[in-house]
Structure formats: structure tokens, C-alpha cells
């Protein structure tokens, strides 16, 4: 049994991680402001991560799993507040890799400004730097698009909604390859880091095989039990107005990950799990007005060409 601290613990990745390790029999402490329902079996530390005082000093954690650090200040205030701990695992992002660098990005690729992610990527770089400057033994995980049960972002659930309403799907005509990683596979890697002396401290994660946006949409419709009618949209329309991903494709080299964990969840099975969760939790997803834009503007634009 391990004693773990998970920052957040109420939404998507942090909540899934907390519940995963509770199911393993570990003592899981979650750090949040108690504004949402807490998972069963966790121990709540009710506080803002920036104003902890001495609340963590009395604890000795086997691992700190930092899911919601977005900048150097987040990292520094957490390290200042902790008492004794063994391992610190920071969930960073593939947004730290500059879009002009050679792909697939590996862990030795120099980080830098990615024009598609902007400030978000730069601040993640600063957070990584702050961690490794103060704690060379810290671990950094760089995921691509995460998906699975509890995903409150309007990605696969947007496509599920379109399928359930038997709508055609408006897809960028430009082919975009996407890289995904199931949140449970992320947990398996974290578990490996906690329970072993992994030499690599920066680790890319993701399914090795990328999938085209078209195939991904077709799979989402298939999971719902519908066949999709795809309508292609040209580059003259802002992709973010009607589609749930950016006009940017990239690939991560995941050779190191593959040496640590095996048998990743196939995307089709992962989408089936996402849909099963979504059916009972539609109110937990942060929905964007894609359908409104499609119905009010995009359809007329395409019709009047």
C-alpha cells in the first residue's frame, strides 16, 4: 500500500488517476477546493494549491502526482509546501515541442514555442524547468490527446452527440492525423514509475499508431451504432468553430513508454468505454457551440458556394 497525493482529483485525468489508485488499495489524498463531488475512498485536503501553509508538512507521500500544474509558480508553490515525499510525477504536455522540430518528437527534442499551443506550451516548459531545477529526480510525462471515461472536454462526446442525433459530420477536408492515449494507460505508466526505479525521467506517452481524423470520427459513430455521412469543409472556415481538434498534427516517439508498459487499450475499445461513461454523465462535459455554428453559419456558407 502506497500513500499518494493527487493534485485536483475531481475532473477527468486527476479524478481517474485518484480512483484508479484507490481501486489498487492505496491511500489516495486529493488536493482541491472541494467545489465538486469527491470520489469515494479518497482523503480530501481542502485547500488552494497556492495557499497551503503547513497542511502538507505533516504528511509523508510515496508519490506526488501533479496533474494540474500549468506554470512554474504552480510547481514552486507545491514544492515549497510539501513535507517528505519520495517521487514527484508531473503530467506535462506534448505542447512543449515546437511545431517546426523534426517529427516524431522524442524526449531529447529541444522544447520551444509551438505556434498552435502558444502560451499554454511555453508555461508547461517553464513548469518542467522549475521542477527539474529544484528536483532532478522528478518525473515528467508528456501526453498527446488524452481520452477515455470522465473526459469532460467536448471531443469524442461531440462526435457521439452528432451520431446519436443522426447528423452528418462536418470534417476538415485537410487530412489530420491524431495521436491518442487512454487515461487508464497513463495510470499504468504512473504505477510503473511509482513501483520501480525507472531511469528515464522524461517520458512521451501515446498510442504508437496515429489515426486520421476521418477514421476516428467513423469509429465514434460506429461505437454509437450509426454510419457517418461526412461533409468536407475547406480551409476558408476556422476549424475550431466546428471541429474539436486544432489544425495541427504531430507524432510522439514512444519507444521509452513501450519498454515500460505493454498492451495499450485499443482506440475502439477506449471509445466504447468513453461512450458508456458519457451516456450517464452528459451534464459533466463542457460542451462547445459547434452544432450552433454548423447550423447557423457553416451550412449556409457551404450551400452558397
Amino acid at each position: 500500500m502506497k500513500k499518494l497525493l493527487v493534485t485536483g482529483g475531481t475532473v477527468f485525468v486527476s479524478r481517474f488517476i485518484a480512483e484508479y489508485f484507490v481501486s489498487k488499495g492505496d491511500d489516495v489524498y486529493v488536493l482541491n477546493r472541494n467545489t465538486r463531488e469527491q470520489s469515494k475512498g479518497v482523503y480530501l485536503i481542502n485547500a488552494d494549491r497556492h495557499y497551503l501553509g503547513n497542511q502538507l508538512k505533516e504528511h509523508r507521500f510515496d508519490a506526488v502526482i501533479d496533474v494540474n500544474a500549468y506554470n512554474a509558480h504552480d510547481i514552486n508553490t507545491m514544492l515549497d509546501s510539501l513535507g517528505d515525499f519520495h517521487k514527484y510525477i508531473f503530467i506535462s504536455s506534448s505542447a512543449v515541442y515546437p511545431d517546426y522540430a523534426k517529427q516524431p518528437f522524442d524526449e531529447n527534442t529541444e522544447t520551444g514555442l509551438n505556434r498552435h499551443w502558444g502560451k499554454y506550451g511555453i508555461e508547461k516548459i517553464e513548469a518542467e524547468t522549475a521542477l527539474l531545477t529544484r528536483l532532478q529526480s522528478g518525473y515528467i510525462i508528456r501526453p498527446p490527446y488524452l481520452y477515455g471515461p470522465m473526459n469532460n472536454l467536448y471531443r469524442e462526446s461531440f462526435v457521439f452527440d452528432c451520431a446519436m442525433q443522426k447528423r452528418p459530420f462536418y470534417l476538415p477536408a485537410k487530412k489530420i492525423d491524431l495521436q491518442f492515449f487512454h487515461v487508464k494507460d497513463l495510470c499504468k505508466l504512473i504505477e510503473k514509475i511509482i513501483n520501480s526505479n525507472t531511469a528515464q525521467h522524461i517520458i512521451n506517452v501515446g498510442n504508437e499508431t496515429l489515426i486520421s481524423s476521418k477514421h476516428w470520427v467513423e469509429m465514434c459513430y460506429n461505437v454509437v451504432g450509426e454510419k457517418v455521412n461526412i461533409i468536407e469543409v475547406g480551409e476558408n472556415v476556422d476549424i475550431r468553430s466546428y471541429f474539436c481538434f486544432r489544425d495541427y498534427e504531430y507524432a510522439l516517439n514512444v519507444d521509452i513508454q513501450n519498454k515500460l508498459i505493454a498492451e495499450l487499450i485499443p482506440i475502439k475499445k477506449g471509445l466504447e468505454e468513453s461512450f458508456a461513461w458519457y451516456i450517464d454523465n452528459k451534464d459533466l462535459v463542457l460542451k462547445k457551440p459547434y452544432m450552433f455554428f454548423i447550423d447557423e453559419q457553416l451550412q449556409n456558407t457551404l450551400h452558397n458556394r
Side-chain angles (χ1 to χ4, degrees), residues 144-239:
Y145 292 114
L146 291 166
Y147 79 108
M150 302 186 193
N151 188 357
N152 65 322
L153 300 178
Y154 204 35
R155 288 178 179 158
E156 58 260 38
S157 53
F158 165 54
V159 189
F160 295 152
D161 277 345
C162 291
M164 286 188 288
Q165 296 175 30
K166 302 183 186 300
R167 297 170 62 99
F169 195 86
Y170 290 81
L171 186 72
K174 175 183 176 183
K175 179 177 177 288
I176 303 173
D177 287 333
L178 302 167
Q179 190 169 25
F180 292 99
F181 196 55
H182 195 286
V183 66
K184 187 174 183 179
D185 289 328
L186 175 66
C187 292
K188 287 160 56 180
L189 178 68
I190 293 171
E191 186 176 19
K192 181 73 173 182
I193 292 172
I194 291 172
N195 294 324
S196 64
N197 294 318
T198 305
Q200 183 70 27
H201 284 259
I202 299 177
I203 305 171
N204 288 342
V205 296
N207 288 29
E208 191 166 18
T209 302
L210 276 63
I211 181 172
S212 72
S213 54
K214 180 175 183 291
H215 189 195
W216 179 77
V217 168
E218 290 170 340
M219 290 178 70
C220 289
Y221 269 71
N222 182 264
V223 163
V224 176
E226 297 291 338
K227 187 174 181 179
V228 62
N229 172 28
I230 289 178
I231 299 175
E232 294 188 343
V233 181
E235 295 183 7
N236 59 318
V237 181
D238 178 16
I239 188 174

Side-chain angles (χ1 to χ4, degrees), residues 94-109:
S94 56
V96 301
Y97 294 118
D99 49 290
Y100 54 80
K102 181 181 178 181
Q103 297 191 33
F105 305 130
D106 64 29
E107 290 84 355
N108 293 317
T109 299

